[in-house]
Amino acid sequence: MTHGVNNPVTIVGLNARGAALARALAVHTRVTVWDGAGHRSEAPHIEGVSRAGSAAEAFTASPLAVLCGDDYDHVHRVLETAEPHVSSVDVVNLTSGTGDQAEQVAAWLGARGVDYLDGALMAHPEHVGDPDTVLVLSGSRPVFDRHAAVLARLGSPTYLGSDPGAAALYDVAMLNFAWSTLLGFLETAALLGTAGVSATSVSPLLTRWLSGTVAEVITGYASQVDDRRYPGDQDWLELDAPLMDHLVEAARARGIDTALPELIRSLTAKGIEAGHGRASFASLVEVLRV
Amino acid sequence: MTHGVNNPVTIVGLNARGAALARALAVHTRVTVWDGAGHRSEAPHIEGVSRAGSAAEAFTASPLAVLCGDDYDHVHRVLETAEPHVSSVDVVNLTSGTGDQAEQVAAWLGARGVDYLDGALMAHPEHVGDPDTVLVLSGSRPVFDRHAAVLARLGSPTYLGSDPGAAALYDVAMLNFAWSTLLGFLETAALLGTAGVSATSVSPLLTRWLSGTVAEVITGYASQVDDRRYPGDQDWLELDAPLMDHLVEAARARGIDTALPELIRSLTAKGIEAGHGRASFASLVEVLRV
């Protein structure tokens, strides 16, 4: 059976994100909420939802339970309490965690006959429900299909396959990309700050460069990574290495933490040692696979 | 005196980039080239240029000498040989190096009455001369003004101020930003590769994310860095820390090098220790200033 957007939904976990999920759905359908943590001092106010008084009430109120725990301990506590009542519900779990944690929950629920879909909603609470908010899901395809209309109210849902750990991996992999870029920006801003260049004066140039040149380079590197061939037509590791020395030296001389530049340099040295001296920077993906 | 684009120019240093400089200018003006390294086995062919046979010839042929050494040892050898002939020439140095190295050359030439402009041309040789190639310069403003027309044939020149080390710092700071972003991409691609996700399938999503969300975040962080206030309205370090644990764990479990995720995590832990737990990720700029 496919459930329309008007089918009731239970949200478990009343942290900021769980509350945002409940708010995004309550305008369309009957929403039941239950915290299940038992330690939250004050529950957030959410217009137009029913509050379940027990696990039984929460898990029998709707054909779909969306878990949004503080962490996986929270999820496990919820599921153990709810065990007698889970069999007639589909479970979507948006709790942030690792792929292994998602797989454990999938196995636990699978043993009880429950279809499980794991997801990662890559947004701050206030962007929950925006049509371009990235929502990646993996695990049970039937759950994805049955609740497609509800999921589409939370963001832009993409199904990544039947491995319940894939969505969590995707989540941390995307975060890694954002953090690396942002840390690079902060290091660059700190370096230029030592010469009196303000971050706001340089950020327009950097973001333009990101959208243009850097994005182009990434697109080219993606093909190289997939082909496992890294032609260094324009730049190659041995050409980069002395510039990395200058970078480390500049950071040290100006009292800026050198860990990031040193990491870039040491991975490049490893790449050269491994025979990629005349290959592009993308060849470092080979030394990252340990 | 301001020199037009048709005034002669001498290029010193016939590596790939020096040859590209000579080619870009030779279509507009009389160009004299001199290698000055004395160790290059074969000089590149460059249409329509005069080859100087000596330092004297090279440094007296034109009112402007553009140095493009292999490194600063090369530059110092050139200048020592050319010492008796440098007094009547303006010097622009595009050799890649550190700010300190640029300042030493500026001091050496300054003691001999020569105006010095240091520059960084942020392009592979084949993009030398493109109107959107970034060319940053610092040091003598009179040299920048006198030779503006020639410099504009090499790229898009921007004057960064009178500190001769600023251009070199800018160069390595920009490279740091590119390398951090690209290394982040390679780590992300390696992680997703373990789940059979190809780099080319994910790169369009990542580059779209860079141009949109990440660029917006950078713009916001730039203001925070300049204000030294890091309001964590939507994300804050204590909220990020457990996700960083998941990232490190995922990388370790899947056999991907953990150095980059561990660096992100350890800087964040330092930030929390320093009292920035409820501040945004941009507050890490404070722990980068050692």
Side-chain angles (χ1 to χ4, degrees), chain A residues 89-125:
Chain A
V89 75
D90 285 338
V91 172
V92 171
N93 182 15
L94 302 182
T95 306
S96 176
T98 66
D100 285 354
Q101 289 174 320
E103 278 159 23
Q104 281 164 25
V105 174
W108 190 91
L109 284 169
R112 284 149 187 87
V114 182
D115 283 344
Y116 178 79
L117 184 66
D118 196 82
L121 190 66
M122 305 188 61
H124 298 304

Side-chain angles (χ1 to χ4, degrees), chain B residues 55-116:
Chain B
E57 221 180 294
F59 279 79
T60 54
S62 318
L64 171 65
V66 176
L67 311 188
C68 188
D70 299 342
D71 50 36
Y72 271 78
D73 283 347
H74 184 177
V75 170
H76 287 294
R77 276 201 313 278
V78 162
L79 291 178
E80 278 152 31
T81 318
E83 187 173 3
H85 317 288
V86 294
S87 61
S88 61
V89 75
D90 284 339
V91 171
V92 171
N93 182 15
L94 302 182
T95 305
S96 176
T98 65
D100 284 356
Q101 290 173 320
E103 279 160 22
Q104 280 163 25
V105 174
W108 190 92
L109 283 169
R112 285 151 187 85
V114 181
D115 283 344
Y116 177 79

Side-chain angles (χ1 to χ4, degrees), chain A residues 263-280:
Chain A
L263 173 60
I264 292 166
R265 177 167 75 169
S266 74
L267 287 169
T268 299
K270 253 194 206 171
I272 292 172
E273 266 170 53
H276 303 299
R278 295 282 302 187
S280 81

